[in-house]
Every structure is written in structure tokens, then in C-alpha cells.
Amino acid sequence: MPPRPLSPHLSVYQFKYTLTTSILNRCTALALSVGLLLLVYWLMAVASGAHAQARAARWLSGPLMKPVYAALIMAFCYHLVAGIRHLVWDTGRGLERAQAQRSAWLVVALSIALTLLIGYCAWLAGARAP
Amino acid sequence: MAEFRLPANSRIMKGVTHAAPPGTRAVRTVRIYRFNPDSGANPRLDTFELDARSCGPMVLDTLILIKANVDSSLTFRRSCREGICGSCAMNINGVNRLACTTATRDLAPEIRIYPLPALPVVKDLVPDLSNFYAQYASVKPWLQTRTPVPADRERLQSKEEQERIDRPAACILCACCSTACPSYWWNSERFLGPAALLAAYRWIIDSRDEAGGERLDELEDPFRLYRCHTIGNCTDVCPKDLNPARAIAEIKKMLLERHS
């Protein structure tokens, strides 16, 4: 007899708050790991002398980098808040269905608010700089 | 390793359409996953157009109507029709639930029915649950004692001790939770899944059971227990409103406390 087919999973399952918050947590973690390369590049440039540092500063403050930073800040905020949610879960709390639904929305709202706050502070710092 | 795509023999083909009987005013469209092991062909998605007025209130009524009037070869499990046997668990409109306790009126106009996800399909909506049952058996879901039974009475528990296991003991093993879990989809060979872990928890916290330590030893494994990443689909879908996610979190806590 030929092998039995596997019933469909990812292609048919509804993307509810459970799956969505979980996959976002993983995607943001991945984005942050890739984003760390920028920091590594900056640190290496600083260590390699004034010339390399100036070139890195020019490159990293280019107009195309702003959306990248915005995305990374957002990813960081989401990952931070979602991580705290996981920490609370690991104490055995907040795992009832209604609680998990509420905290899913809370994570999204808080991460957006935190992103805006950091963005505002960055804008303030930028406005004050010479 | 997570395998996101279905194997070649599992990809779903276009199926046949059974048109509504002439003169039908309100049509209900039901799309159902079909697989015939004798044909050798890939699974397909058949469309059944029904007279909405002839359908009973629950999804199971609709399935029975199709089997009786349209296509007698349609295969599915069912028994109690009141949500206590767990036989008719299936994926209905993207969520695992019992066909007998899901009202068609609560669903979108079109109903899509698939077998429980990521399992080998025996026929149509009947998946092979052997692995699921073997995992349940592996947690030794029975009372284990070391001390002799008291001579004058049974092993008694207090009302509170019984109430602690009331909810986890109400599991009907329908497999809705385990087959809703992406970790289980990718690692069903090694990860026990929410249903078996809920059963393990039920016996660990049973005041009469004396094998709690061994039970925890068995679970302390990167795959058997720790493939749970608290996604929460299990608790979200449980048709009996049980909470496997919390049970698993409690087991992890017990293991942590044992180490400290």
C-alpha cells in the first residue's frame, strides 16, 4: 500500500492571535540578530581608526538607514514585550484563553507605544544635536 | 526539522462539485477533504452544495446529511454527538473542533472541513492517531503506588485534592490540542504534545500517586516536554475548556523547583 498522505497543517490552519504573536516573536528575534551585524560593523570601524570610523558614520547615517533603524526599534520593542509575556506565562499565570487573548493585544499595543516613545526621544536628541 | 510544505503525495487536488438540488433557495456550501486509499490518487477537495434548510444545527448533522443523501462514501468518525467521546474532532474553518458541538450558524457561510492537521490520513476525515495514543500510553496514565493500600479503607483524597485534578481529568483525548500545535506538527515523533502532557500533569498532581518523581524524570527531555514554546493553540482550541498550556507550564515549574 502506498504511504498515507499527510493532512494539511500550515496551509489550512487559521492564523489566530496565538500563532501570530508566536511567529512575530521569532521573526523579530531573527531581525534583531541580523541587525546586530550593523552594530558589529560600527564597532569594528571605530576600532580601525578615524578614517574607517568617518566612513562608517557617513554610511550609517545615510537616509536609507532610517527605515531600517525604525524597523529594528520596532522589532526590539515587540520582542522585549513579548518576552516579558513569556516570562509571566512561565510563572504559570495568564494562560487562560481570555487572558492570553487580552495579553496578545496588550503586547501589540505596548510595543507600538514603546516604539513611538523611543522614536520621539531619538527625534528630540536629533533636534538638539548641532 | 520543520517541514513547511506537504509531501508530493499529500498535495490537495481539485475535487468534484455536487450541485444543490434544483429549487434550492438558500445554498450552504461545504468543502470537504477527500482521500481514497484504494484509488492511489492524491487527496482532493470536494464541494457539496446543500439546501441550508435541510441541514441540522451542527456540523456533524451536515456531514451525516451528506453521507445519507449525496455521497455515501464520505468517511468520518462520530459516536456520541454530544462532545464527550471526542471522535468527530476535525479541522473546521481553520480551527480544530468537534463537529458535533460546532454550530454551523457560528461559521462563515462557506464551511471547509479537513482532517486533524499533520497526521497520516487513513481515509477522508479519518486520521491515523496511533502515535497520539502511544504517546498517551507512554506517560503511564494510571495510578502508581509504592505503599500498601490501607487495610480498612481505600486510598482517600480530600475534596480539594480531587478538585485539583477535576479539570485535567476531563480530557476526552480528541487530539484537537495536539494537532493544533505547530511544535507537534514539526516534531510529533519526539514531542509528546499537549494532550499527553496534560495527562502526565493530571497524574503528577494526583495526591494518591506516588511516582511523581519518576514521572518528572521521564518528561525532563529537550523534546518530550521542552518542545512546548507556549504558543497557546492547545488551550485556545480545547472543546472541553481545559488548559494544557498551563499544565505544561506547571510541569516546567516543578522541574525547575526540583533543581533549585
Side-chain angles (χ1 to χ4, degrees):
Chain A
M1 212 169 71
R4 283 170 176 157
L6 195 70
S7 53
H9 36 80
L10 209 55
S11 54
V12 300
Y13 211 89
Q14 192 187 327
F15 254 79
K16 299 185 87 171
Y17 64 99
T18 48
L19 281 181
T20 315
T21 49
S22 173
I23 200 80
L24 271 176
N25 202 24
R26 292 209 168 210
C27 291
T28 51
L30 195 69
L32 288 172
S33 308
V34 176
L36 266 183
L37 292 176
L38 285 176
L39 186 69
V40 171
Y41 166 62
W42 166 245
L43 288 174
M44 280 178 74
V46 168
S48 321
H51 181 65
Q53 191 205 343
R55 201 179 48 191
R58 208 168 44 245
W59 196 76
L60 287 172
S61 57
L64 278 177
M65 294 308 290
K66 281 222 168 117
V68 175
Y69 297 139
L72 283 175
I73 290 170
M74 192 146 189
F76 173 78
C77 294
Y78 181 87
H79 199 68
L80 176 73
V81 182
I84 293 171
R85 183 182 184 221
H86 270 279
L87 218 53
V88 174
W89 276 344
D90 287 341
T91 68
R93 280 177 279 247
L95 282 160
E96 293 299 322
R97 188 185 292 145
Q99 292 172 321
Q101 267 166 356
R102 269 201 304 274
S103 64
W105 285 111
L106 194 69
V107 163
V108 173
L110 275 181
S111 58
I112 291 173
L114 206 56
T115 307
L116 291 176
L117 184 71
I118 294 176
Y120 178 67
C121 292
W123 178 79
L124 271 187
R128 226 181 282 143
Chain B
M1 197 44 212
E3 185 61 65
F4 296 126
R5 287 194 72 192
L6 285 172
N9 73 332
S10 311
R11 311 237 161 92
I12 304 165
M13 305 294 169
K14 235 174 114 64
V16 290
T17 300
H18 301 268
T24 305
R25 270 185 293 165
V27 176
R28 168 161 296 139
T29 308
V30 187
R31 296 190 203 280
I32 303 178
Y33 177 101
R34 305 298 304 275
F35 169 71
N36 182 354
D38 300 323
S39 75
N42 265 37
R44 55 178 213 267
L45 198 64
D46 279 2
T47 305
F48 296 88
E49 293 176 355
L50 308 166
D51 185 343
R53 285 171 310 172
S54 64
C55 298
M58 299 300 176
V59 173
L60 182 62
D61 299 319
T62 307
L63 286 171
I64 290 171
L65 180 90
I66 293 171
K67 191 170 174 69
N69 297 346
V70 187
D71 185 348
S72 61
S73 70
L74 178 65
T75 309
F76 52 91
R77 294 194 178 106
R78 90 279 178 278
S79 178
C80 75
R81 59 95 189 94
E82 58 180 13
I84 195 59
C85 76
S87 302
C88 63
M90 46 190 80
N91 186 280
I92 302 168
N93 283 17
V95 178
N96 295 348
R97 21 192 168 198
L98 301 178
C100 65
T101 56
T102 304
T104 46
R105 152 182 97 223
D106 297 339
L107 300 169
E110 186 186 298
I111 301 173
R112 283 164 289 114
I113 306 176
Y114 293 89
L116 290 174
L119 292 173
V121 179
V122 178
K123 191 180 183 186
D124 293 349
L125 300 174
V126 177
D128 180 0
L129 288 166
S130 318
N131 183 45
F132 174 81
Y133 295 139
Q135 286 168 325
Y136 175 64
S138 79
V139 304
K140 300 185 177 152
W142 53 79
L143 190 69
Q144 295 182 68
T145 54
R146 304 283 176 268
T147 56
V149 191
D152 53 340
R153 60 193 145 81
E154 298 161 49
R155 294 179 197 275
L156 299 177
Q157 24 169 206
S158 70
K159 189 164 176 286
E160 291 72 31
E161 284 166 347
Q162 169 60 36
E163 276 167 358
R164 286 187 75 202
I165 58 170
D166 266 347
R167 270 186 90 198
C171 174
I172 58 175
L173 290 176
C174 65
C176 275
C177 59
S178 290
T179 60
C181 173
S183 287
Y184 194 74
W185 296 346
W186 317 136
N187 290 299
S188 58
E189 301 282 306
R190 299 167 76 185
F191 173 45
L192 285 179
L197 290 171
L198 179 74
Y201 173 72
R202 177 248 176 276
W203 288 103
I204 290 170
I205 59 164
D206 191 308
S207 61
R208 302 159 297 175
D209 193 82
E210 292 163 359
E214 290 101 282
R215 292 182 190 278
L216 285 174
D217 288 341
E218 283 297 312
L219 296 179
E220 190 160 23
D221 177 270
F223 275 88
R224 259 171 267 167
L225 170 71
Y226 289 109
R227 269 310 101 170
C228 165
H229 300 303
T230 333
I231 296 169
N233 264 1
C234 49
T235 301
D236 184 61
V237 297
C238 179
K240 304 303 284 181
D241 279 329
L242 312 181
N243 199 336
R246 201 177 68 83
I248 296 170
E250 293 296 337
I251 296 173
K252 289 176 183 166
K253 266 169 66 185
M254 285 186 250
L255 282 168
L256 195 68
E257 276 157 19
R258 204 165 68 152
H259 283 297
S260 57

